Amino acid sequence: MARVETLPRRAKGAMAAAVFVATLSAVPPSGAAVAREGEVQALYAASFMGIGIAKGSLSIKVDRGAYAAKLHISTAGLARIVSSEESFVDAKGYVGRSLVPSTYDLMSRGDTVTQVSMALGGGNVRSLKAIPELVEYDDRVPVTAAAKRRVVDPLSAAILPMMRDDKADGKDVCDRTLPVFDGWTRYDIQLSYTSTDPVDIPGYKGDAVHCSARWVPVAGHREGTKSTEYMRDNQNLDVWFVPMAEGRVMVPSKISVQTMRGLLLVVATQFGENAKLGKVEQASN
């Protein structure tokens, strides 16, 4: 059986780790109608304790009630000296009163290969392949069938379609709980509104909605370990959302995660046409 304690490193690009844990708010306000068409491209840079470690590009398209998202991540800077890793993440599904994912795929290549292939229906996991497999420990909370119902995949959790013509209130954006299953673990992200802050990023200048977050483990984690207890009690998880595609979609502009070893930051460096997939190298030079 494949090793499991490497699972926290399955997102070695660090961009994925932060996005998967802290890019949130996939469920729109109740009573909303089907989302309008919209397309978003964004570039991100990740740093750990002030040192650049990863870069990524995100593409989201909402069209006729369906959405497709792609995330490309690669190590950068000094991190490439230690390990060179590249990850590709794809998620597709439908938009109604909430995001309803249908497929989620992760492929990460570097020192090891990490892979997830997941099919969902009605928010329930129908089929799953995840490499490496979880190692059984006495203190690991089992991932039951119930833990894989009414969930959203991590990448879909980065998308917030705005379905009303009026401007979203910060509490509409933030105040919610998001049930996430990443192929190994099931956890809730509890969001709450903190503030609305001005930001100036190439491709966007305006307000960003600041949400504080709490990580609540449900299944797949090892109960009582230092890392689990630290993240469960961690009050230094924050994400900022900005409107894109003429306000039709909100996406993260900044993610801040205080880890046991230091501060992990993911920041948007570009929105718009120049941030399309395939232009990561050009935009980061």
Side-chain angles (χ1 to χ4, degrees):
M1 183 175 291
R3 63 177 188 257
V4 170
E5 291 316 298
T6 59
L7 273 181
R9 286 174 272 172
R10 62 181 174 269
K12 291 178 185 175
M15 174 76 64
V19 169
F20 290 176
V21 173
T23 52
L24 320 155
S25 289
V27 183
S30 60
V34 175
R36 299 168 293 176
E37 288 76 7
E39 189 169 358
V40 178
Q41 294 87 33
L43 295 180
Y44 293 89
S47 62
F48 182 68
M49 298 181 66
I51 300 173
I53 57 173
K55 57 189 176 182
S57 58
L58 175 67
S59 174
I60 304 167
K61 185 175 183 180
V62 179
D63 184 17
R64 299 180 182 179
Y67 72 93
K70 294 179 180 292
L71 176 66
H72 173 229
I73 311 145
S74 60
T75 50
L78 293 177
R80 292 184 64 87
I81 299 175
V82 178
S83 175
S84 179
E85 175 131 353
E86 191 168 26
S87 300
F88 299 88
V89 191
D90 290 88
K92 295 180 181 179
Y94 302 93
V95 185
R97 293 188 176 183
S98 64
L99 286 186
V100 184
S102 57
T103 61
Y104 170 75
D105 293 281
L106 163 69
M107 174 57 74
S108 182
R109 299 185 182 93
D111 298 334
T112 59
V113 173
T114 302
Q115 182 179 1
V116 176
S117 181
M118 183 163 57
L120 305 95
N124 303 325
V125 176
R126 301 301 188 191
S127 65
L128 172 66
K129 177 183 179 181
I131 301 173
E133 298 177 355
L134 280 176
V135 169
E136 295 183 6
Y137 287 100
D138 292 340
D139 60 352
R140 189 178 300 287
V141 178
V143 181
T144 63
K148 294 184 282 187
R149 299 191 187 110
R150 300 179 63 84
V151 297
V152 64
D153 67 85
L155 180 54
S156 296
I159 307 167
L160 176 58
M162 302 311 297
M163 305 190 193
R164 303 183 306 182
D165 290 333
D166 55 309
K167 186 177 180 180
D169 180 82
K171 292 186 177 181
D172 288 337
V173 175
C174 295
D175 291 353
R176 65 190 74 250
T177 296
L178 182 63
V180 180
F181 180 66
D182 62 12
W184 295 277
T185 58
R186 165 72 174 83
Y187 50 89
D188 285 340
I189 297 294
Q190 296 178 345
L191 293 176
S192 59
Y193 174 69
T194 298
S195 62
T196 299
D197 308 322
V199 297
D200 189 353
I201 304 164
Y204 177 78
K205 182 177 182 180
D207 289 337
V209 178
H210 175 194
C211 309
S212 61
R214 299 299 297 271
W215 179 79
V216 181
V218 176
H221 62 286
R222 295 184 64 185
E223 192 66 42
T225 63
K226 289 183 179 180
S227 59
T228 296
E229 291 180 351
Y230 177 86
M231 289 303 297
R232 177 188 285 147
D233 297 336
N234 194 350
Q235 298 188 41
N236 295 309
L237 302 172
D238 298 272
V239 60
W240 286 256
F241 286 96
V242 296
M244 288 285 110
E246 298 181 355
R248 296 167 185 165
V249 179
M250 295 196 75
V251 298
S253 63
K254 181 181 177 181
I255 302 159
S256 176
V257 179
Q258 183 65 47
T259 73
M260 293 178 67
R261 294 180 175 84
L263 182 65
L264 173 65
L265 284 177
V266 178
V267 297
T269 59
Q270 177 78 53
F271 288 110
E273 289 297 315
N274 291 331
K276 283 187 175 180
L277 290 170
K279 295 188 178 181
V280 180
E281 295 289 347
Q282 176 181 343
S284 62
N285 289 334

